[in-house]
């Protein structure tokens, strides 16, 4: 820590007027590339292939910054080594295709490779799992096991987007069905946050 290598951004100011190299190809790498390109002296994004896992819109923004010369994009490259003794002074990167090594000077490195998804015991529950994601239907967001629901980034179905909004929608529908299972025959509570005073109270919202 403090030597020029980080796995998350704690303070943006740290990168002001620095030569920064970001490694990664997901949302974090793309988001921070866009966010920090304005304040760094130079910013290089290194990824092992020329396609990105992040949202297409963010990738477009990143590529626009490459076009305007604000971001230097290096693909298909992987990290080979880090130079510097007490503080980072550069990196060596290897071209994935021709295996040639290149040296690049930098003051700061950010490794943003994303989270390593581990399902733990969930993997042994007999659920249909594809690429570490649990398959669900889009009516109840239920898995192949009756009564086991999956919502949010962990689930998958045709058209799935890993967004908070989608997680909220999936949860709303899954909870409705889970409630019916738990309390058969009972009316499922339903209310609008705009007009339901009980919800206002729960959420601590004051309405005049
Ligand atoms: C850089 C970045 C920017 C983003 N920006 C946006 C945005 O602007 N708008 C938007 O809508 N979405 C955005 N997203 C996506 C959004 O963050 C996710 O869709 C959302 O957080 C998913 O919520 P979740 O609860 O399903 O999963 P998570 O938020 O990942 O929560 C899952 C939780 O489960 C825990 N967990 C993991 N494995 C296990 C296990 N085996 N047992 C028990 N617990 C476990 C984890 O520790 C974690 O706390 C962004 C994502 C990234 C990475």
């Amino acid at each position: 820590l403090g030597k020029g290598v980080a796995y998350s951004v704690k303070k943006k100011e740290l990168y002001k007027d620095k030569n920064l190299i970001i490694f990664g190809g997901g949302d974090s790498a793309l988001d921070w590339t866009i966010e920090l390109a304005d304040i760094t002296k130079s910013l290089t994004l290194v990824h092992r292939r020329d396609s990105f896992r992040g949202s297409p819109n963010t990738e477009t923004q990143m590529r626009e910054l490459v076009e305007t010369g604000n971001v230097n994009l290096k693909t298909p490259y992987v990290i080979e080594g880090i130079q510097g003794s007490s503080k980072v002074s550069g990196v060596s990167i290897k071209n994935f295709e021709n295996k040639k090594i290149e040296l690049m000077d930098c003051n700061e490195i950010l490794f943003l490779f994303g989270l390593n998804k581990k399902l733990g015991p969930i993997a042994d529950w007999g659920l249909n799992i594809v690429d570490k994601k649990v398959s669900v239907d889009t009516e109840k967001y239920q898995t192949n096991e009756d009564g086991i629901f999956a919502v949010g980034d962990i689930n998958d179905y045709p058209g799935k987007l890993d967004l908070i909004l989608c997680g909220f929608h999936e949860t709303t529908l899954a909870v409705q069905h889970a409630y019916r299972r738990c309390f058969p025959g009972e009316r499922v509570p339903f209310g609008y946050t705009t007009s339901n005073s009980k919800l206002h109270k729960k959420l601590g919202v004051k309405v005049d």
Side-chain angles (χ1 to χ4, degrees):
L1 282 177
K3 294 182 177 176
V5 179
Y7 298 89
S8 63
V9 178
K10 298 272 187 273
K11 281 186 191 156
K12 271 174 65 174
E13 299 72 50
L14 178 71
Y15 302 99
K16 193 168 170 10
D17 300 325
K18 298 280 175 62
N19 296 310
L20 168 67
I21 301 183
I22 295 180
F23 288 87
D27 279 310
S28 300
L30 290 172
D31 279 359
W32 282 116
T33 296
I34 293 162
E35 188 76 21
L36 297 173
D38 264 358
I39 61 166
T40 48
K41 189 173 172 191
S42 75
L43 195 156
T44 303
L45 175 63
V46 181
H47 186 40
R48 65 179 189 281
R49 55 173 176 261
D50 199 49
S51 65
F52 289 82
R53 292 187 317 278
S55 91
N57 181 42
T58 324
E59 182 181 341
T60 305
Q61 286 181 55
M62 179 276 290
R63 290 196 187 274
E64 281 168 8
L65 290 171
V66 174
E67 288 281 308
T68 54
N70 291 316
V71 167
N72 177 25
L73 177 63
K74 299 288 282 181
T75 59
Y77 284 85
V78 288
I79 181 99
E80 180 72 7
I82 299 176
Q83 277 78 51
S85 46
S86 59
K87 179 91 175 67
V88 166
S89 61
V91 291
S92 50
I93 55 172
K94 183 160 86 176
N95 187 305
F96 217 55
E97 283 162 4
N98 63 24
K99 311 291 178 211
K100 281 194 180 147
I101 307 278
E102 283 180 33
L103 297 176
M104 298 182 72
D105 291 339
C106 68
N107 320 106
E108 298 287 340
I109 307 173
L110 266 172
F111 290 108
L112 300 175
F113 291 131
L115 300 172
N116 184 10
K117 283 181 197 159
K118 285 196 181 124
L119 290 175
I122 297 168
D124 305 323
W125 289 1
L127 307 179
N128 287 342
I129 294 171
V130 181
D131 290 338
K132 296 189 183 176
K133 284 193 164 234
V134 181
S135 305
V136 291
D137 65 60
T138 49
E139 183 199 348
K140 302 174 182 168
Y141 295 92
Q142 187 168 246
T143 65
N144 56 302
E145 287 289 333
D146 199 33
I148 300 183
F149 301 83
V151 295
D153 287 3
I154 195 176
N155 77 12
D156 199 25
Y157 51 84
K160 166 73 183 180
L161 292 175
D162 285 349
L163 285 174
I164 298 166
L165 178 71
C166 299
F168 281 158
H169 165 77
E170 295 157 11
T171 309
T172 310
L173 296 190
V175 164
Q176 297 268 320
H177 292 285
Y179 193 93
R180 280 193 197 107
R181 279 181 65 93
C182 296
F183 308 102
E186 274 191 36
R187 194 181 71 84
V188 182
F190 183 90
Y192 298 120
T193 48
T194 43
S195 54
N196 188 308
S197 54
K198 275 188 193 161
L199 284 176
H200 290 164
K201 210 173 162 194
K202 273 188 188 166
L203 295 168
V205 177
K206 277 192 178 174
V207 182
D208 298 323

